[in-house]
């Protein structure tokens, strides 16, 4: 089964990354999580359902989070975004990457959508118009001597 740039082979418990020609024989927890997510692809799987599929000695939330993180790491970028956390509810394995809104700027703090950028620019233009209407421009231009303090 294709998952982004990877091929998941449940019968052999392997996940093969076709971008970098690597293959991963998955440990029990990672295999169980990915198998359940692929069987119910496109549906949110609750944390309880995912914990129930883990081997009994590994059925805890920390191990589930670790398993998901390791799967995402192996899937790489951008395929790792197919495996999404849904709040505190659980996880979903998307069928394909959804086109995200185009973001402007760089870094996690300075990212904004085109709509937010246009709104910001229009607000700045309105602010300049308001300032210009409140303060009348002066026709008086001081001479160089006046600026230097000479009389």
């Amino acid at each position: 089964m294709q998952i982004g740039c990877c091929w998941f082979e449940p019968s052999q418990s392997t996940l093969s990354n076709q971008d970098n020609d690597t293959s991963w024989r998955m440990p029990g927890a990672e295999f169980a999580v990915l198998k359940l997510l692929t069987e119910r692809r496109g549906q949110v799987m609750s944390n309880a359902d995912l914990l129930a599929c883990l081997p009994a000695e590994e059925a805890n939330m920390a191990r589930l989070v670790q398993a998901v993180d390791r799967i995402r790491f192996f899937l790489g970028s951008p395929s790792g975004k197919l495996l999404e956390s849904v709040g505190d509810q659980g996880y979903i394995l998307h069928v394909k990457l959804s086109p995200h809104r185009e973001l402007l700027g760089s870094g996690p703090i300075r990212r904004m959508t085109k709509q937010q950028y246009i709104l910001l620019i229009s607000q700045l233009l309105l602010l300049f118009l308001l300032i210009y209407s409140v303060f009348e421009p002066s026709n008086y231009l001081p001479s160089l001597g006046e600026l230097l303090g000479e009389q």
Side-chain angles (χ1 to χ4, degrees):
M1 170 178 287
Q2 188 79 30
I3 304 172
C5 65
C6 294
W7 182 260
F8 178 54
E9 186 58 56
S11 64
Q12 298 176 357
S13 303
T14 59
L15 187 61
S16 301
N17 190 319
Q18 297 168 348
D19 282 351
N20 58 18
D21 282 336
T22 56
S23 187
W24 177 34
R25 179 125 172 106
M26 302 175 75
E30 285 79 358
F31 173 72
V33 168
L34 190 57
K35 185 171 188 270
L36 183 59
L37 286 168
T38 56
E39 288 171 356
R40 306 274 174 88
R41 202 162 184 178
Q43 299 175 20
V44 176
M45 296 303 303
S46 71
N47 289 330
D49 289 339
L50 291 166
L51 286 170
C53 80
L54 292 177
E57 64 276 1
E58 299 182 64
N60 60 62
M61 200 58 199
R63 182 63 178 108
L64 174 61
V65 171
Q66 180 187 33
V68 169
D69 288 343
R70 290 182 71 190
I71 294 168
R72 279 187 187 137
F73 177 77
F74 189 83
L75 290 172
S77 181
S79 299
K81 293 178 183 176
L82 288 169
L83 181 50
E84 181 184 359
S85 172
V86 182
D88 289 337
Q89 297 176 19
Y91 295 91
I92 183 171
L93 180 62
H94 294 285
V95 176
K96 61 181 180 177
L97 284 172
S98 60
H100 293 291
R101 296 178 292 184
E102 187 175 334
L103 299 173
L104 302 173
S106 62
I109 296 172
R110 293 194 227 167
R111 299 183 75 106
M112 65 175 67
T113 64
K114 284 184 180 179
Q115 291 83 8
Q116 291 169 329
Y117 183 75
I118 291 170
L119 182 63
L120 176 66
I121 296 301
S122 62
Q123 287 176 339
L124 287 173
L125 288 174
L126 288 173
L127 178 65
F128 287 133
L129 287 173
L130 176 68
I131 290 172
Y132 184 76
S133 68
V134 171
F135 299 104
E136 293 182 24
S138 174
N139 292 333
Y140 171 72
L141 292 174
S143 68
L144 185 59
E146 291 174 334
L147 288 174
L148 296 175
E150 301 172 3
Q151 298 210 349

